[in-house]
């Protein structure tokens, strides 16, 4: 943040440098929150430490350090990014970084079109811990004329969690 203020003394200059799309004349607070988030995260969704949607939306669930003006996400950015990258072959139904939930749409392979699965991924904390990650899967089998739920082996959820954790470890090592 010191660098942020050393390069510019006015709100307008900070917002302009960040690339924010918000106009300071319309909503100065929103423009500043977006600018700070963009500058902290490197400007992209998966920039340094991820993006803080709560910072833009003013979400009360966000951790705030008011002495330095830093707004951080409520989930671990490495677990979040690793989860998104691990399941990138599946269509997403919903992804909420502030709440730490990723929900995929139903997915089936061309080799097995009579079976489909979906995932719910929950990231529940800021620290890089396995207990902050939980995967719940659902599978169905097509039996004319309806889809019928299948029994899920918990080992499959653990395998997906381990793949995400391994990816997150690699991302964390790359960032240092």
């Amino acid at each position: 943040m010191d660098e942020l203020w050393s390069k510019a003394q006015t709100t307008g200059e900070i917002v302009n440098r960040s690339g924010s799309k918000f106009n300071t004349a319309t909503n100065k607070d929103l423009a500043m929150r977006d600018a700070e988030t963009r500058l902290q995260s490197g400007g992209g969704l998966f920039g340094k430490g991820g993006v803080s949607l709560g910072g833009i939306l003013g979400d009360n669930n966000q951790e705030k350090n008011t002495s330095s003006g830093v707004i951080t996400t409520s989930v671990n950015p490495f677990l979040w990014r690793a989860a998104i990258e691990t399941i990138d072959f599946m269509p997403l139904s919903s992804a909420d970084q502030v709440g730490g939930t990723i929900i995929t749409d139903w997915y089936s392979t061309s080799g097995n079109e009579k079976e489909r699965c979906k995932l719910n991924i929950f990231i529940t904390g800021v620290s890089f811990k396995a207990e902050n990650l939980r995967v719940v899967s659902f599978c169905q089998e097509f039996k004319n004329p309806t889809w019928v739920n299948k029994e899920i082996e918990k080992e499959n959820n653990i395998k997906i969690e381990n793949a995400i954790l391994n990816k997150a470890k690699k991302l964390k090592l790359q960032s240092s």
Side-chain angles (χ1 to χ4, degrees), residues 137-153:
S137 59
F138 305 91
C139 291
Q140 294 179 335
E141 188 174 16
F142 187 70
K143 295 184 177 181
N144 277 343
T146 61
W147 288 96
V148 178
N149 291 336
K150 291 180 65 175
E151 187 71 28
I152 301 299
E153 294 181 28

Side-chain angles (χ1 to χ4, degrees), residues 45-110:
L45 180 60
F46 298 124
K48 302 173 192 169
V51 73
S52 170
L53 295 177
I56 297 169
L57 302 174
D59 192 312
N60 291 334
N61 292 332
Q62 295 299 303
E63 295 179 15
K64 295 181 182 181
N65 179 343
T66 54
S67 63
S68 65
V70 175
I71 301 171
T72 59
T73 62
S74 58
V75 300
N76 184 278
F78 299 109
L79 290 174
W80 176 262
R81 182 174 172 193
I84 292 288
E85 289 184 11
T86 300
I87 62 159
D88 67 354
F89 62 94
M90 298 180 81
L92 288 180
S93 176
S94 166
D96 175 12
Q97 185 176 5
V98 174
T101 58
I102 301 169
I103 301 171
T104 69
D105 205 350
W106 290 104
Y107 174 78
S108 61
T109 63
S110 58

